[in-house]
Amino acid sequence: DALASAVALRYLLKQAFGIRSLIVYGGVIGRMENKNMVEILKLPIQPLKASHFKQYPHVALVDTQPMFNNNPFPRDRKATMVIDQHRSAVKPKADFAIIDVQCGATCVILAQAILAMKLEIPSKIATSIAYGILSETLQLHRGTNNRVIKTYMKILPHSNMRAIASIQNPVRSQNFFKSLSRGIYDSLIYQGLIISHLGKVENPDLVAQIADFLLTYRGVRWSLCTGRYQGRLHLSLRSERPKSDAGKILRDVLKRTERAGGHGTIAGGSLEVGEKTSGKKWRQIEHMLSRRLAKRLRMLPRKRFSFAFR
């Protein structure tokens, strides 16, 4: 969704206003589908350098906000533009901001702008947006808003369907299947809550993937997945209830508003634990968060969680 939003905004700025821009990203592109997306569509993106903030006076943030912990934007600087779908506890520090928590995917906002201006939609842009929508909405399963469906249907005829199929079916590493196996085998369940602590993961995106996957287990209403990556514990919370406020719930569990964000049925966050922290301490933190979540959902167990698949 973030990649599609960035590519769409770059195109809109150039075609409608003659503004040239550079797409940069912090962190890593870990999810294999996203790597496929970049390679197959040859997206013009590059890793962020500290010098970029000095070189470019205007910065736009998409699918994130200045005060979120999932981006390296300087906290003492004001963004020129923010386009996002996530609810925030504070107003974005920007000259211009569109925060639409009902849009279903951030790239929907950009797609609607391109369609409204009746710009020609190149296949690469349309394919990026179409896949961004599918990825963010779990193949439209979470796309309960009619705007999402209508926008997707308008964009789809301009897309490369073969490219979308290739993006969605990547070759996966052995570590992926090991993490998936561990995530299933060690899953804990109580009432309608399923939790999986993956331990160390090769990329934090895997945490969200397995949280989505576990939510499909019959009888489950909530899923939480965690993974350890470079000294941080990454969390993904999912709900099958359309009116859930997963972001607020996860922030309550972490007890820090800046550590988590989300909208509707999905949320993500992380907290610093430290790479040198002992395995015992990691497990204590994971257990504590499991108990906090159960309590926050008013389903604090009278007995221990049980294994879901053993």
Side-chain angles (χ1 to χ4, degrees):
D1 185 24
L3 286 168
S5 299
V7 170
L9 178 59
R10 178 177 181 267
Y11 176 73
L12 177 63
L13 292 174
K14 178 66 172 63
Q15 294 301 117
F17 306 102
I19 299 173
R20 295 182 179 275
S21 57
L22 186 70
I23 300 176
V24 297
Y25 65 92
V28 297
I29 299 176
R31 190 165 179 166
M32 290 306 302
E33 289 90 340
N34 291 345
K35 288 182 178 179
N36 263 9
M37 179 183 182
V38 172
E39 293 173 5
I40 292 172
L41 300 180
K42 295 181 172 57
L43 301 185
I45 66 173
Q46 59 183 275
L48 174 70
K49 298 178 181 178
S51 60
H52 284 141
F53 290 124
K54 296 179 181 178
Q55 184 178 356
Y56 295 92
H58 300 289
V59 177
L61 281 77
V62 293
D63 207 38
T64 186
Q65 296 179 38
M67 296 304 292
F68 287 7
N69 277 344
N70 64 352
N71 71 73
F73 187 73
R75 294 296 182 263
D76 59 348
R77 183 167 170 177
K78 190 176 185 180
T80 300
M81 183 185 301
V82 171
I83 301 177
D84 191 24
Q85 62 170 323
H86 301 100
R87 184 176 284 105
S88 176
V90 297
K91 185 178 179 180
K93 192 176 180 181
D95 293 326
F96 173 78
I98 297 177
I99 311 299
D100 187 348
V101 298
Q102 301 295 326
C103 67
T106 301
C107 60
V108 167
I109 301 172
L110 278 307
Q112 288 181 318
I114 292 173
L115 290 167
M117 299 192 75
K118 298 182 179 179
L119 297 174
E120 180 183 350
I121 309 176
S123 177
K124 180 187 296 187
I125 304 300
T127 305
S128 297
I129 294 171
Y131 174 65
I133 293 173
L134 291 174
S135 176
E136 187 67 11
T137 63
L138 270 183
Q139 313 301 314
L140 301 178
H141 177 68
R142 290 194 296 243
T144 56
N145 191 320
N146 284 336
R147 289 168 52 202
V148 180
I149 308 298
K150 289 180 179 179
T151 302
Y152 176 73
M153 295 305 295
K154 289 179 180 179
I155 290 293
L156 196 59
H158 305 279
S159 305
N160 183 327
M161 298 301 294
R162 187 179 296 274
I164 292 176
S166 296
I167 292 168
Q168 291 181 308
N169 295 279
V171 174
R172 303 186 187 278
S173 69
Q174 184 184 60
N175 284 335
F176 171 86
F177 289 100
K178 284 183 177 180
S179 294
L180 178 60
S181 174
R182 187 168 63 248
I184 295 173
Y185 186 73
D186 292 335
S187 293
L188 301 169
I189 194 166
Y190 182 81
Q191 296 181 11
L193 169 63
I194 190 167
I195 297 177
S196 180
H197 300 297
L198 301 178
K200 288 186 178 180
V201 293
E202 64 176 347
N203 73 76
D205 290 339
L206 185 60
V207 176
Q209 283 182 280
I210 294 182
D212 285 332
F213 181 63
L214 290 175
L215 189 63
T216 64
Y217 182 38
R218 181 176 293 170
V220 164
R221 300 189 303 276
W222 292 88
S223 71
L224 174 72
C225 187
T226 74
R228 307 171 192 174
Y229 182 77
Q230 295 184 351
R232 297 190 72 86
L233 184 66
H234 292 261
L235 305 92
S236 284
L237 179 65
R238 300 291 186 267
S239 173
E240 54 84 34
R241 296 175 170 175
K243 294 184 179 180
S244 302
D245 191 346
K248 183 180 187 307
I249 289 171
L250 190 56
R251 286 193 292 270
D252 290 344
V253 170
L254 293 175
K255 296 186 176 181
R256 291 282 294 275
T257 58
E258 71 276 13
R259 286 179 176 173
H263 53 91
T265 61
I266 65 176
S270 69
L271 69 157
E272 183 70 32
V273 178
E275 293 195 59
K276 296 182 179 180
T277 302
S278 68
K280 180 180 179 180
K281 182 63 176 178
W282 278 100
R283 289 190 293 273
Q284 287 175 342
I285 293 172
E286 290 162 353
H287 178 70
M288 174 194 67
L289 293 172
S290 297
R291 301 284 294 186
R292 277 189 193 170
L293 177 59
K295 184 176 181 180
R296 176 63 179 79
L297 295 176
R298 298 180 181 178
M299 55 173 69
L300 185 64
R302 300 181 183 89
K303 55 184 179 179
R304 294 183 178 181
F305 285 82
S306 59
F307 288 106
F309 307 111
R310 293 192 196 178

